[in-house]
């Protein structure tokens, strides 16, 4: 199973989600069954490392940062991934617009599996500078995805 987290630049929110979710998957003993990646809907930061403020948040919470480099979402990602999970409404719309025919249904909003908060999104810390809020929002929204994937793996999907 493969999941790709997506934001606009792939330097703030989606690399934070990638690193956090990798740690959750590893702790759940599923790192050989769930592949975690991230990408941007734009190529605005292509080739850049994660923002230093994202790196600082990860370090503060003892989450491994394996040297993620920003890249743009590609058509083949839609073939390879089972879930493309986007951070805000614009990211969802942009990712769907980039999807090859028939694959837009792989794009989901980050809070979609969080009961009672399905319509929530994660605002861009590039604008707000509130990287702690991004981290907190991901601690809220990522567990629902892990649970969903565990259920699917157990069901043999
Ligand atoms: P991200 O944040 O989408 O969470 O990676 C951004 C990073 C860079 C820019 C915008 C958003 N930018 O305009 O360069």
């Amino acid at each position: 199973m493969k999941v790709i987290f997506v934001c606009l630049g792939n330097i703030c929110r989606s690399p934070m989600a990638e690193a956090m979710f990798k740690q959750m998957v590893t702790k759940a003993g599923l790192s050989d069954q769930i592949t975690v990646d991230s990408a941007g809907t734009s190529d605005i930061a292509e080739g850049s490392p994660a923002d230093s403020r994202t790196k600082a948040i990860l370090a503060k919470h003892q989450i491994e940062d394996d040297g993620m480099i920003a890249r743009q979402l590609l058509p083949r990602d839609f073939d390879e991934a089972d879930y493309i999970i986007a951070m805000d409404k614009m990211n969802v719309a942009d990712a769907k617009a980039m999807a090859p025919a028939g694959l837009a249904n792989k794009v989901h909003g980050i809070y979609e599996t969080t009961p009672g908060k399905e319509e929530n999104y994660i605002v861009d810390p590039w604008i707000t500078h509130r990287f702690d809020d991004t981290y907190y929002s991901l601690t809220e929204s990522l567990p629902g995805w892990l649970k969903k994937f565990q259920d699917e793996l157990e069901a043999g999907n």
Side-chain angles (χ1 to χ4, degrees):
M1 176 181 290
K2 180 167 184 180
V3 53
I4 304 176
F5 292 101
V6 167
C7 60
L8 176 65
N10 192 212
I11 53 172
C12 299
R13 291 165 291 178
S14 60
M16 195 186 297
E18 177 187 339
M20 291 172 68
F21 202 66
K22 272 185 184 157
Q23 186 183 68
M24 292 165 64
V25 163
T26 299
K27 282 188 174 167
L30 294 172
S31 51
D32 58 342
Q33 292 181 72
I34 302 175
T35 302
V36 187
D37 195 3
S38 68
T41 56
S42 83
D43 65 357
I44 198 162
E46 184 88 26
S48 298
D51 188 283
S52 59
R53 295 162 293 181
T54 280
K55 285 174 156 300
I57 293 282
L58 294 173
K60 181 164 123 184
H61 295 281
Q62 288 93 45
I63 297 167
E64 195 178 334
D65 164 7
D66 60 6
M68 299 171 288
I69 298 295
R71 70 172 185 90
Q72 188 172 23
L73 191 63
L74 301 168
R76 72 157 182 270
D77 287 317
F78 290 85
D79 292 315
E80 293 173 4
D82 300 287
Y83 291 91
I84 293 174
I85 301 176
M87 297 295 147
D88 65 30
K89 273 188 185 177
M90 185 180 73
N91 303 152
V92 168
D94 289 345
K96 283 189 174 182
M98 294 165 83
L103 299 180
N105 63 345
K106 291 190 174 183
V107 180
H108 300 266
I110 182 69
Y111 268 96
E112 213 178 285
T113 57
T114 308
K117 296 197 172 183
E118 291 86 347
E119 302 296 319
N120 283 22
Y121 293 94
I122 300 182
V123 295
D124 197 340
W126 184 261
I127 294 164
T128 65
H129 307 292
R130 297 173 69 94
F131 284 71
D132 279 306
D133 289 358
T134 308
Y135 176 79
Y136 179 74
S137 297
L138 288 167
T139 64
E140 275 192 330
S141 54
L142 291 175
W145 290 106
L146 184 61
K147 172 79 168 62
K148 180 179 173 62
F149 300 159
Q150 282 171 319
D151 290 347
E152 285 187 13
L153 289 167
E154 274 170 31
N157 291 338

